[in-house]
C-alpha cells in the first residue's frame, strides 16, 4: 500500500516549484535544532528545556513578557486564538481574502462554536478601514453578531505588508469600538524584513493582542507559535490546545526548531532571501509583453496576470503555481529554498510562453 502510494506521487524536480512556500524542505538550522533535541528521555507535553527556551526566545524577540503556545499549523493557531477572544455570538472582521475566511474550512467558526466571520474589502489584500468601520457600526442591535475581533494578515495574502503606522491605525479603530486585534502572521518574518522594523513595531507596540507566528513557511518542518501579548487573553488556552488535538506530546521537537531559527537569525535570513527572490522575479517579468504584475511585491510572492494560453503552457511544461488565490492571477511563491537560478529559469519559461500570445 505504502509502495503504491509512493510510486503514484509524481517526482517533482526541486528547481521549478512556486506553488507555495510550504513546498520547501526543512532548513538546516531548524533540522539541526531538532537533532540536538533528540537526546535521551525528556519530559513530555512541553515540560522540557527546549520548549522553555523557545518561549523565552520569543519573549526576548518581542521584548515583551508574552504568553507563548506551539501548535501544529496555522489553521489551528488562528482558530484557537480567535476562539479564545470570542464568544459564540461575537463576530470577527477580516479582509475578504483572509486565510481564516477562504482557506480554513470553517475552523475559526467551528472552534468558537459559531462566531461569524464578517468580510471587509480593501485593495491589494489590505483592509480598508472605512469598510471595517462600516461593518462594525452598521448595527448595534441584538440581532447582529457583535463585532469582537479585528483580524489582520501580515504579510497579506496578496504579498503586501502593512506599515507599523497602518497596523496602529487599524488597531486604534478596533480599540475605539471595543474590539481586540488578532494578527495572522503565517509570513510575519517576511513582513519584518520587508519593513526593516523591530518585530514589536508591527505587533504589540502597534496594538496587536495576539499574533499567530508562522514557522512552517519560514523553513521549519511544522508548527506555529501563538503569542499572546496580553497574557489575560491566554487564560486556559492550554485546554483549548489539548481539546483540539494540538498539544504535542513530544513538544520538544516542535519547539526546538524555533531556537535554531531565532538564535541563528535564520528566520530573518530565510525571509530576506525569499523576499529578494520574489523581487528578482518581478524585475525579470516586468518587461514581458502581455504580462502584468498585479500587486506591489513587498514580501515573498508575486501575483501576475497573464493570458490563459501562457499559464497553460507553463503548467504543461511542469511549473507549479496556484491560480485560484487572490483576484485570479498566477501566484508565484518563493521560499528559503528558491534559488536565483530557479527564478531565471522561470522567467525564461514565461518569456518563451509569452510568444504564444497572438
Ligand atoms: C499558510 C497560511 C496559514 C496556515 O495554513 P496551515 O496550512 O493551516 O498551516 C495561515 N495564514 C496564511 C495567510 C497562510 O498563508
Amino acid at each position: 500500500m505504502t509502495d503504491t502510494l509512493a510510486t503514484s506521487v509524481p517526482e517533482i524536480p526541486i528547481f521549478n516549484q512556486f506553488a507555495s512556500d510550504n513546498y520547501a524542505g526543512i532548513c538546516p538550522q531548524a533540522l539541526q535544532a531538532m537533532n540536538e533535541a533528540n537526546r535521551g528521555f525528556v519530559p513530555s507535553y512541553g515540560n522540557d528545556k527546549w520548549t522553555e527556551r523557545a518561549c523565552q526566545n520569543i519573549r526576548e524577540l518581542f521584548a515583551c513578557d508574552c504568553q507563548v503556545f506551539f501548535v501544529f499549523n496555522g489553521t489551528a493557531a488562528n482558530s484557537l486564538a480567535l476562539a479564545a477572544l470570542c464568544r459564540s455570538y461575537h463576530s470577527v472582521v477580516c479582509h475578504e481574502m483572509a486565510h481564516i475566511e477562504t482557506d480554513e474550512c470553517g475552523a475559526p467558526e467551528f472552534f468558537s462554536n459559531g462566531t461569524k466571520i464578517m468580510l471587509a474589502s480593501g485593495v491589494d489584500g489590505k483592509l480598508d478601514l472605512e469598510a471595517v468601520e462600516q461593518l462594525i457600526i452598521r448595527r448595534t442591535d441584538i440581532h447582529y453578531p457583535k463585532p469582537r475581533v479585528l483580524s489582520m494578515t501580515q504579510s497579506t495574502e496578496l504579498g503586501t505588508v502593512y506599515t507599523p503606522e497602518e497596523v496602529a491605525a487599524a488597531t486604534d479603530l478596533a480599540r475605539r469600538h471595543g474590539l481586540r486585534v488578532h494578527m495572522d502572521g503565517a509570513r510575519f518574518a517576511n513582513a519584518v524584513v520587508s519593513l526593516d522594523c523591530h518585530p514589536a513595531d508591527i505587533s504589540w507596540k502597534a496594538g496587536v493582542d495576539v499574533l499567530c507566528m508562522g514557522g512552517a513557511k519560514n523553513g521549519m518542518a511544522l508548527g506555529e507559535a501563538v503569542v499572546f501579548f496580553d497574557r489575560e487573553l491566554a487564560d486556559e488556552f492550554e485546554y483549548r490546545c489539548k481539546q483540539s488535538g494540538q498539544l504535542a506530546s513530544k513538544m520538544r521537537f516542535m519547539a526546538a526548531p524555533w531556537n535554531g531559527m531565532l538564535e541563528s537569525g535564520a528566520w530573518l535570513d530565510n525571509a530576506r532571501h525569499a523576499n529578494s527572490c520574489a523581487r528578482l522575479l518581478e524585475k525579470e517579468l516586468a518587461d514581458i509583453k502581455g504580462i502584468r504584475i498585479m500587486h506591489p511585491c513587498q514580501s515573498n510572492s508575486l501575483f501576475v496576470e497573464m493570458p490563459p494560453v501562457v499559464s497553460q503552457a507553463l503548467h504543461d511544461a511542469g511549473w507549479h503555481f496556484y491560480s485560484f488565490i487572490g483576484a485570479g492571477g498566477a501566484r508565484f511563491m518563493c521560499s528559503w529554498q528558491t534559488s536565483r537560478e530557479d527564478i531565471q529559469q522561470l522567467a525564461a519559461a514565461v518569456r518563451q510562453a509569452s510568444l504564444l500570445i497572438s
Side-chain angles (χ1 to χ4, degrees):
M1 196 57 212
T2 313
D3 281 344
T4 329
L5 209 67
T7 50
S8 70
V9 174
E11 180 93 5
I12 300 174
I14 283 174
F15 68 87
N16 66 355
Q17 299 324 324
F18 290 86
S20 182
D21 28 7
N22 57 22
Y23 269 47
I26 308 170
C27 73
Q29 295 85 351
L31 197 55
Q32 190 192 330
M34 228 163 163
N35 231 336
E36 280 167 16
N38 192 24
R39 280 198 219 129
F41 293 85
V42 169
S44 51
Y45 299 111
N47 298 311
D48 64 88
K49 62 177 183 180
W50 284 280
T51 306
E52 184 45 45
R53 193 165 115 202
C55 293
Q56 202 48 41
N57 273 325
I58 289 177
R59 288 185 195 112
E60 278 165 25
L61 178 71
F62 286 99
C64 175
D65 187 27
C66 44
Q67 191 67 277
V68 182
F69 301 86
F70 299 102
V71 296
F72 290 107
N73 63 21
T75 299
N78 286 333
S79 302
L80 297 177
L82 291 171
L85 302 183
C86 291
R87 293 199 174 147
S88 58
Y89 49 83
H90 285 147
S91 59
V92 173
V93 177
C94 67
H95 192 275
E96 56 197 1
M97 301 285 179
H99 198 270
I100 59 169
E101 158 68 9
T102 63
D103 290 287
E104 299 191 354
C105 197
E109 293 93 328
F110 176 76
F111 283 110
S112 56
N113 294 311
T115 296
K116 189 176 172 69
I117 305 277
M118 299 203 299
L119 307 179
S121 56
V123 295
D124 296 327
K126 289 159 78 169
L127 287 163
D128 173 334
L129 295 192
E130 267 176 40
V132 169
E133 186 157 39
Q134 276 313 309
L135 270 180
I136 297 172
I137 65 173
R138 185 160 67 186
R139 297 257 299 265
T140 52
D141 60 271
I142 199 168
H143 305 284
Y144 189 67
K146 191 175 187 217
R148 176 65 179 154
V149 173
L150 177 64
S151 175
M152 316 177 67
T153 309
Q154 177 81 311
S155 317
T156 73
E157 284 77 3
L158 299 187
T160 53
V161 299
Y162 292 96
T163 63
E165 295 73 27
E166 287 171 329
V167 177
T171 65
D172 277 351
L173 170 68
R175 239 167 223 100
R176 277 205 302 280
H177 294 285
L179 277 71
R180 295 297 199 151
V181 180
H182 159 261
M183 181 172 273
D184 175 348
R187 300 190 181 90
F188 185 77
N190 303 87
V192 172
V193 298
S194 175
L195 294 161
D196 193 20
C197 67
H198 191 279
D201 294 342
I202 49 171
S203 56
W204 66 271
K205 282 190 181 170
V208 174
D209 295 303
V210 53
L211 168 70
C212 296
M213 186 176 175
K217 288 168 180 163
N218 190 227
M220 291 168 44
L222 80 171
E224 318 273 300
V226 184
V227 184
F228 287 92
F229 299 112
D230 179 343
R231 279 179 161 255
E232 274 180 32
L233 296 173
D235 186 40
E236 299 187 342
F237 193 75
E238 60 274 24
Y239 289 91
R240 283 185 197 283
C241 293
K242 176 66 191 183
Q243 188 183 45
S244 58
Q246 291 291 325
L247 179 65
S249 68
K250 291 187 174 178
M251 182 70 87
R252 62 191 181 279
F253 296 113
M254 203 151 78
W258 285 94
N259 299 326
M261 300 293 280
L262 297 177
E263 290 168 14
S264 67
W267 77 291
L268 292 177
D269 295 340
N270 286 356
R272 197 173 291 115
H273 172 80
N275 287 8
S276 77
C277 285
R279 270 198 307 278
L280 176 62
L281 183 61
E282 179 187 37
K283 201 167 130 251
E284 290 286 330
L285 301 189
D287 64 344
I288 301 180
K289 216 169 134 266
I291 304 295
R292 186 179 72 85
I293 308 298
M294 299 172 72
H295 309 289
C297 177
Q298 297 172 339
S299 58
N300 59 327
S301 58
L302 187 69
F303 284 79
V304 176
E305 188 179 70
M306 49 193 183
V309 61
V310 176
S311 62
Q312 192 54 53
L314 290 171
H315 281 308
D316 290 347
W319 296 91
H320 290 232
F321 56 90
Y322 287 147
S323 303
F324 64 85
I325 293 173
R331 185 189 78 169
F332 296 104
M333 185 63 82
C334 302
S335 72
W336 70 272
Q337 212 170 19
T338 308
S339 72
R340 299 181 87 76
E341 189 188 28
D342 298 335
I343 300 290
Q344 306 291 1
Q345 294 198 30
L346 173 63
V350 175
R351 205 173 292 277
Q352 193 188 1
S354 73
L355 300 176
L356 298 166
I357 305 172
S358 47

